[in-house]
Amino acid sequence: MKTRQLKLVQTLTLATCVALTLAARADDYPPKAHHEELNAKLTGAHFVHKASMAGMKDIKLGKVAQDRAENAEVKTFASRLVMDHRQANDRLATLAKQKGISLPD
């Protein structure tokens, strides 16, 4: 059990380091020269479609974590993830419908 806990702590530490590194570099990415191009690509229906797909993916991954996790805290986090992303996708679907944008199934 201690080995499993140690691996979990190591994994969480690594994930935190990666997240902090990415956050520190967020101002540099994407390069400012590409901001206009990126904004043009991620407007309107394209953005709504991408956001919807990402939300559905997170819900699926959260369900996997709920089913497979052994740690109660992980199961609780996964449950919250699923609930939050369902709510976000519901709000997105409402907005998309108002704007006449179709969403993926």
Side-chain angles (χ1 to χ4, degrees):
M1 185 67 179
K2 294 232 183 228
T3 302
R4 182 176 290 203
Q5 289 174 339
L6 180 61
K7 286 182 181 180
L8 178 61
V9 169
Q10 289 171 337
T11 302
L12 291 174
T13 301
L14 178 61
T16 301
C17 290
V18 169
L20 290 174
T21 300
L22 292 174
R25 296 187 57 177
D27 291 336
D28 298 333
Y29 187 83
K32 294 191 184 350
H34 298 286
H35 279 218
E36 287 182 27
E37 180 183 340
L38 181 63
N39 286 339
K41 287 182 181 178
L42 292 178
T43 57
H46 185 73
F47 170 80
V48 171
H49 180 77
K50 290 277 193 184
S52 178
M53 294 295 289
M56 289 188 293
K57 180 181 174 185
D58 289 341
I59 290 169
K60 286 180 184 178
L61 291 173
K63 287 179 180 180
V64 170
Q66 284 176 314
D67 293 341
R68 295 185 183 176
E70 295 179 9
N71 183 294
E73 290 179 27
V74 173
K75 284 184 178 276
T76 300
F77 177 80
S79 176
R80 182 62 188 219
L81 177 84
V82 169
M83 183 178 66
D84 288 349
H85 282 85
R86 276 192 181 141
Q87 289 175 352
N89 273 9
D90 289 346
R91 289 188 297 241
L92 182 64
T94 299
L95 179 63
K97 186 175 180 179
Q98 291 171 354
K99 301 292 182 181
I101 300 170
S102 63
L103 293 177
D105 292 332

